[in-house]
């Protein structure tokens, strides 16, 4: 076995307690006060360590996927084998083309990119063709406040004081958007994520009501999200750009949306689809009418991978940053949001490894 043989692959659930200056929002009908994902730690035979991140709703399920499927299949393989990831994807495809197995593979994929860049002694963006920008804009992505005008105004003002120049809401009403527009003023880009709020017959009227308040885009407007025909029809009828992607079950779904120019923005999540797929989608968008604007509702290695992707891709977009108060802020010294932007790290690989508190699993319960 060579030095580059994969010796271990481990899943470390990461649950970051947060507060968003309001009672906890609901997730799956229950109050939510922690943000979940999972670190993926890859080590090779010579002791090199690399990191990825997987989407994780149920830590026990994801840990079992890594223990019983991913680690046994990956260990003993060469980390630089270009057939490794495609082979695992094909081998495991009958377990589902979306969900925990695909999310686990996404985390492994990010770790392999981190390892390749570290081996080469270059920042990850160099493997993506080089950085086009050294600093990436960031927008404050507010969690849901259920239309509470007082809280929306207060949190918007707080985000602007913290240096953000762009805002995203997770709200569903024109009244909520109007409130934030008043608080932010004209000229501040405001995106609205409705989390699949409307059936196709309802969306036009709801979006028209928001139009006077100048939203930058409307995100995930339709239920079910995979109704691409209805989505394309809505974009044709709607003068406001639409953005979709975090609910995509596979990269193929987003590639078809790009090819058909069905929406104005696609939003691959690297911790669901992997960096390889997200970069492929970004490249597919280059020079066309659809813009790749990754979804980044997480804080670990996937956050850094998304930062490198945005730094390297053709079209400039802002990096999503969930606007919450975290019990622990990952990479606070290396990729903090300051003055409405993030400096792209120039260290090899992703630019930083998780802090000991995260790497040792202290935020796993």
């Amino acid at each position: 076995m060579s030095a580059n043989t994969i010796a271990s692959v481990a899943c470390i659930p990461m649950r970051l307690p947060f507060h968003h200056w309001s009672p906890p929002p609901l997730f799956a009908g229950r109050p939510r006060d922690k943000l979940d994902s999972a670190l993926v730690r890859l080590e090779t035979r010579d002791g090199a360590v690399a990191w990825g991140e997987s989407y994780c709703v149920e830590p026990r399920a994801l840990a079992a996927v890594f223990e019983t499927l991913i680690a046994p299949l990956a260990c003993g393989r060469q980390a630089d084998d270009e057939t490794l990831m495609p082979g695992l994807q094909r081998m495991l495809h009958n377990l589902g083309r979306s969900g925990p197995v695909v999310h686990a593979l996404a985390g492994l994929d990010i770790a392999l990119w981190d390892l390749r860049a570290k081996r080469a002694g270059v920042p990850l963006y160099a493997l993506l063709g080089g950085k086009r920008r050294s600093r990436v804009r960031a927008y404050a992505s507010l969690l849901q406040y259920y239309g509470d005008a007082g809280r929306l105004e207060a949190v918007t003002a707080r985000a602007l004081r913290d240096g953000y120049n762009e805002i995203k809401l997770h709200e569903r009403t024109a009244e909520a958007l109007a409130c934030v527009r008043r608080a932010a003023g004209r000229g501040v880009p405001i995106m609205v994520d409705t989390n699949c709020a409307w059936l196709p017959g309802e969306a036009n009227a709801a979006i028209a009501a928001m139009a006077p308040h100048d939203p930058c885009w409307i995100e995930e407007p339709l239920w079910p999200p995979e109704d691409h025909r209805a989505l394309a029809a809505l974009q044709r009828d709607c003068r406001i750009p639409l953005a979709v992607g975090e609910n995509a079950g596979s990269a193929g779904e987003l590639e078809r949306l790009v090819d058909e120019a069905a929406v104005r923005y696609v939003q691959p999540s690297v911790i669901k689809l992997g960096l390889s797929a997200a970069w492929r989608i970004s490249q597919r968008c280059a020079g066309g009418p659809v813009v790749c604007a990754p979804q980044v509702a997480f804080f670990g290695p996937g956050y850094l991978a998304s930062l490198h992707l945005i730094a390297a891709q053709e079209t400039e977009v802002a990096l999503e940053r969930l606007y919450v108060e975290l019990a622990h802020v990952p990479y606070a010294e290396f990729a903090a949001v300051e003055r409405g932007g993030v400096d792209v790290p120039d260290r090899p690989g992703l630019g930083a490894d998780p802090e000991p508190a995260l790497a040792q699993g202290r935020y796993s319960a």
Side-chain angles (χ1 to χ4, degrees):
M1 291 191 296
S2 74
N4 213 32
T5 300
I6 297 174
S8 66
V9 178
C11 167
I12 305 169
M14 184 169 68
R15 314 195 78 178
L16 296 175
F18 76 91
H19 181 61
H20 80 314
W21 313 286
S22 178
L26 299 178
F27 182 74
R30 294 181 295 177
R32 180 189 192 190
D33 61 1
K34 295 181 178 66
L35 296 169
D36 296 331
S37 64
L39 298 174
V40 178
R41 184 185 187 276
L42 181 151
E43 184 170 357
T44 55
R45 187 166 176 249
D46 66 349
V49 174
W51 294 90
E53 185 176 7
S54 292
Y55 184 70
C56 177
V57 171
E58 173 44 65
R60 293 169 297 181
L62 193 68
V65 169
F66 272 94
E67 181 180 349
T68 62
L69 297 172
I70 305 301
L73 292 172
C75 291
R77 299 287 299 275
Q78 297 303 298
D80 56 357
D81 183 350
E82 294 183 358
T83 70
L84 173 59
M85 285 302 302
L88 291 180
Q89 290 163 349
R90 291 187 68 174
M91 191 178 304
L92 298 173
H93 81 276
N94 62 348
L95 298 179
R97 296 285 288 143
S98 63
V101 173
V102 175
H103 302 158
L105 290 170
L108 176 61
D109 180 68
I110 295 169
L112 289 169
W113 277 95
D114 185 35
L115 180 67
R116 285 195 293 269
K118 285 175 174 174
R119 292 283 198 207
V122 298
L124 195 151
Y125 61 70
L127 302 186
L128 303 176
K131 65 179 177 182
R132 295 172 182 260
R133 51 201 65 87
S134 297
R135 184 170 172 80
V136 170
R137 302 186 339 261
Y139 65 83
S141 186
L142 280 55
L143 291 184
Q144 194 167 12
Y145 291 89
Y146 304 99
D148 186 310
R151 288 195 169 106
L152 284 168
E153 290 176 359
V155 176
T156 298
R158 183 187 185 110
L160 295 173
R161 288 196 303 271
D162 282 348
Y164 287 96
N165 300 306
E166 304 173 48
I167 304 288
K168 184 162 83 175
L169 312 181
H170 287 79
E171 303 290 336
R172 298 183 171 189
T173 67
E175 291 77 13
L177 173 57
C179 171
V180 172
R181 174 57 70 198
R182 287 193 299 270
R186 290 291 171 185
V188 173
I190 300 176
M191 291 72 77
V192 184
D193 185 348
T194 72
N195 291 121
C196 306
W198 306 301
L199 298 175
E202 303 167 335
N204 274 306
I207 293 173
M210 291 183 175
H213 311 298
D214 194 25
C216 181
W217 74 52
I218 304 295
E219 186 172 332
E220 301 289 355
L222 294 183
W223 177 262
E226 60 271 15
D227 190 345
H228 294 170
R229 182 176 299 178
L231 188 63
L234 179 61
Q235 184 64 91
R236 286 194 300 269
D237 295 341
C238 176
R239 69 178 182 84
I240 297 171
L242 302 181
V244 299
E246 73 171 280
N247 291 310
S250 70
E253 286 188 43
L254 294 186
E255 290 169 351
R256 285 191 294 275
L257 290 174
V258 173
D259 292 345
E260 297 166 5
V263 293
R264 297 293 173 263
Y265 294 90
V266 290
Q267 301 173 293
S269 167
V270 298
I271 69 170
K272 290 182 177 178
L273 301 179
L275 178 58
S276 296
W279 179 243
R280 189 170 67 246
I281 291 164
S282 174
Q283 293 297 94
R284 209 177 190 101
C285 290
V290 181
V291 175
C292 179
Q295 188 256 4
V296 194
F298 35 87
F299 297 91
Y303 174 80
L304 295 182
S306 301
L307 179 60
H308 283 274
L309 185 157
I310 292 171
Q313 76 172 16
E314 179 180 274
T315 303
E316 182 180 8
V317 295
L319 177 76
E320 180 175 16
R321 180 70 174 186
L322 281 186
Y323 189 61
V324 296
E325 188 174 290
L326 291 170
H328 173 84
V329 181
Y331 310 124
E333 297 180 12
F334 300 98
V337 178
E338 297 177 338
R339 304 180 309 282
V342 184
D343 292 327
V344 181
D346 290 319
R347 298 183 180 189
L350 289 167
D353 290 343
E355 296 89 350
L358 299 177
Q360 295 167 11
R362 295 182 203 166
Y363 288 93
S364 62

